[in-house]
Amino acid sequence: MRRHLLTSTAAMLLAFTGTAFAGMDEAKQFLDAEIGDLSSLSRADQEKEMQWFIDAAKPFEGMDIKVVSETITTHEYESKVLAPAFTAITGIKITHDLIGEGDVVEKLQTQMQSGENVYDAYVNDSDLIGTHWRYQQARSLTKWMANEGKDVTNPGLDLDDFIGTKFTTAPDGDLYQLPDQQFANLYWFRYDWFNDEKNKADFKAKYGYDLGVPVNWSAYEDIAEFFTGREIDGKKVYGHMDYGKKDPSLGWRFTDAWLSMAGNGDKGLPNGLPVDEWGIKVNEKSQPVGSCVARGGDTNGPASVYAIQKYLDWLKAYAPAAAQGMTFGEAGPVPAQGEVAQQMFTYTAFTADFVKEGLPVVNEDGTPKWRFAPSPHGVYWKDGMKLGYQDVGSWTLLKSTPDDRAKAAWLYAQFVTSKTVDVKKAHVGLTLIRESTVQHPSFTERAPKLGGLIEFYRSPARVQWSPTGTNIPDYPKLAQLWWQAIGDASSGAKTAQEAMDSLCAEQEKVLERLERAGVQGEMGPVLAEEHDLAYWNAEAVKAGNLAPQLKIENEKEKPITVNYDELVKSWQK
């Protein structure tokens, strides 16, 4: 039904685009048909914002502008509904292409390398913030809004209302990307099974503590063991779900902050400094100095190796046998099929797919049998460290795009993230970017059917989830190394230590090439001298830092759980 509504609305709006008219009549029709009460602005303020877009767009009326993003529900809504609406209202013809995430990065790289204007604006992950800052081929939006783009910057944009701008701000203090959609990786569990009296009694009898949301990996492991092979509703169930096929999607599984949960890197939010969750260390000038422990990094340190070993152990012991041969896309729907008790690491972008009527994990009244909660942490994790990943797809303007085309594209980027439309867009895609949207009464009403998503985004805990940070000097080149190295561990070709030794060595080859080429100038890598783990650990301790940590002999710490309902109450106090 929702897809039908989107299509019919888009068709209605497209009808306007063939005419020469663009203005407030079209804006009012859009507000009536699509927005209604689902906005953080009053109707009068919605119309005021639309009038600003109409006026600002006049110099660019009739232009054909092309933008691109990956294919997810949020961007489908933008492409099919918001782009035609923007065209009808402003007279700027927007083509919003939807392609694979890897293809977006490839197009971006092509434009950066060739200088040819492939697209007028890109929605690409904020994981590229370190890349954009160092190569200086993306416009600083801070400078753009103050100078060339001042006349096309919405006075009601309200940057302070965006919850993800700290992820798109570089070490120079400038904003380089504007968040468009945002979602986290959280712990997922069967709330109904965890509250079943027999399950609770049996767990307490076996392990000596209460079944609840695991605070640490020791508890997660116990819960995985407890549920694996247990019979529930006539079916044998599993205590864990993951995937292990040697495939590019295996890389996201780990660059999307698996190591941070284990305790890799240093304290610091949104990312550890001087060593981040990838294990890459920077100096006081934010120049990368190494990835391997031998140069003060942590990619192959004890915390990282522990993270990979736990992944391997749990996949083999507690997940369905088929999971070892699955990719990200194949494994994603499995928890919703009703045979998995918990999953360490679930993208909240799947929320809409987990709450569909008729699923085994949804009650008859439409409420979920599952919940999201904060991810548990490993034995090396310390308070003050990040605890997981947020994906923040963000608008980026490259310097190779001519100013007039960049201005027209910037208007569209602001339109699809505006206060007028953001609440409605968030209800469609469930990828929240504004505080005013997170707090909107419509989400209070809908929260019981979203399994804790809204409670999480309203909680103080959300700051511990962040994208890849600014230590990564070339995200496209470095990210592709991960799936190959970890795939070797997953297949059994290498041990966890061998895989991470190989990964850090490959990352340093890229850092060395960047250093030799000098393409990033004073912001590029400057590799450090090599010493042993004991040396670098002592240096870290002396400086008041953590990484690389020494190996902890007993990595099975005391398990801790918390009652989910009590946890949510504590957030609300």
Side-chain angles (χ1 to χ4, degrees), residues 240-253:
H240 173 65
M241 183 60 204
D242 215 322
Y243 62 98
K245 187 173 182 179
K246 191 173 183 180
D247 172 85
S249 66
L250 192 61
W252 316 331
R253 173 72 179 70

Side-chain angles (χ1 to χ4, degrees), residues 42 92 152 216 251 274 291 323-324 343 369 400 409 439 462 547 557:
S42 67
I92 299 170
V152 287
N216 56 19
S291 171
Q324 296 189 49
Q343 188 167 13
K369 298 178 182 179
S400 50
Q439 302 298 338
R462 78 175 185 212
E557 62 184 319

Side-chain angles (χ1 to χ4, degrees), residues 48-123:
K48 182 181 176 184
E49 187 161 66
M50 291 300 101
Q51 187 64 57
W52 180 86
F53 278 107
I54 292 162
D55 295 341
K58 280 192 169 73
F60 315 100
E61 196 170 346
M63 286 181 74
D64 287 310
I65 297 299
K66 284 184 69 176
V67 303
V68 68
S69 67
E70 65 175 301
T71 308
I72 64 171
T73 303
T74 296
H75 298 318
E76 287 178 342
Y77 179 69
E78 291 168 342
S79 177
K80 294 173 184 175
V81 176
L82 297 182
F86 180 79
T87 297
I89 292 163
T90 65
I92 299 170
K93 188 173 187 306
I94 294 287
T95 300
H96 185 149
D97 286 347
L98 302 172
I99 59 179
E101 183 181 0
D103 296 328
V104 173
V105 175
E106 188 180 324
K107 299 287 186 189
L108 187 73
Q109 285 180 295
T110 298
Q111 183 159 337
M112 287 170 65
Q113 289 162 6
S114 69
E116 293 179 17
N117 191 48
V118 182
Y119 281 101
D120 300 306
Y122 293 81
V123 182

